[in-house]
Amino acid sequence: PSNDPDHVSQKRSSGTYGFNYSSIVLTMMLRVKTLNFVSLLLIAAKVKYFPLFLDDAGLSASQIGFLLGVGGVAQLIATPIWGALADWTKRPSVILGVSLTMWAVVLQSFQLQWLLRYPLLCICAYAATCAFEGAVSLIDVVTLSALKKSGGGESY
């Protein structure tokens, strides 16, 4: 019978196409939680190790302070731009990937010794912070979107 409670719960969990909906939700939420964990890990690494890297590169304390202060300005400018781009394309996960890729490329540029001149380092630090701050805000958008799709409510 179609009104049998066991039949209805089995239909809900297996979906209309025969795959297990709950395993898809668990997989999606595991990906979202992993993404959040990695983003918080990267924030902690940026806060703790970037000043040490700059000190090792031979910068003075005032130069390091200036480069770390660039983050607030970059956040004010970059976050709305990344958000508007994600809204315009209606693909926040793709824009998140672009942001993270840009951040990784800029971070790799710190390996180049000629880049350790202070003006170039300021430009690269600003670009890295712009990319990273965009990624941080888009991670929240992607998390809430995945949560909404999973029917998980307002928290996870």
Side-chain angles (χ1 to χ4, degrees):
S2 62
N3 291 335
D4 180 24
D6 291 332
H7 177 70
V8 171
S9 67
Q10 182 182 7
K11 185 176 179 183
R12 270 193 202 134
S13 67
S14 65
T16 57
Y17 298 105
F19 51 88
N20 192 348
Y21 179 75
S22 61
S23 68
I24 293 171
V25 170
L26 288 175
T27 303
M28 182 174 23
M29 293 313 295
L30 181 63
R31 287 180 185 168
V32 166
K33 287 181 179 187
T34 302
L35 183 63
N36 277 307
F37 174 76
V38 169
S39 72
L40 292 174
L41 185 69
L42 292 174
I43 289 170
K46 178 185 139 191
V47 169
K48 296 288 184 186
Y49 296 112
F50 191 56
L52 295 175
F53 168 77
L54 295 173
D55 185 44
D56 191 47
L59 272 64
S60 69
S62 62
Q63 290 173 325
I64 293 172
F66 177 78
L67 286 174
L68 295 177
V70 162
V73 175
Q75 186 175 10
L76 284 172
I77 294 171
T79 303
I81 293 171
W82 284 110
L85 191 57
D87 289 343
W88 181 65
T89 61
K90 296 186 181 7
R91 305 278 312 239
S93 57
V94 171
I95 302 301
L96 173 62
V98 169
S99 174
L100 289 173
T101 302
M102 181 178 149
W103 183 63
V105 167
V106 173
L107 281 184
Q108 286 302 314
S109 70
F110 283 118
Q111 299 290 329
L112 305 173
Q113 291 300 316
W114 60 269
L115 188 65
L116 293 179
R117 296 187 188 115
Y118 188 66
L120 292 174
L121 194 59
C122 288
I123 292 168
C124 283
Y126 186 77
T129 304
C130 284
F132 185 72
E133 293 301 333
V136 169
S137 63
L138 290 172
I139 285 171
D140 292 338
V141 170
V142 170
T143 300
L144 292 174
S145 175
L147 186 63
K148 190 175 184 180
K149 286 180 185 175
S150 71
E154 295 297 322
S155 67
Y156 66 98

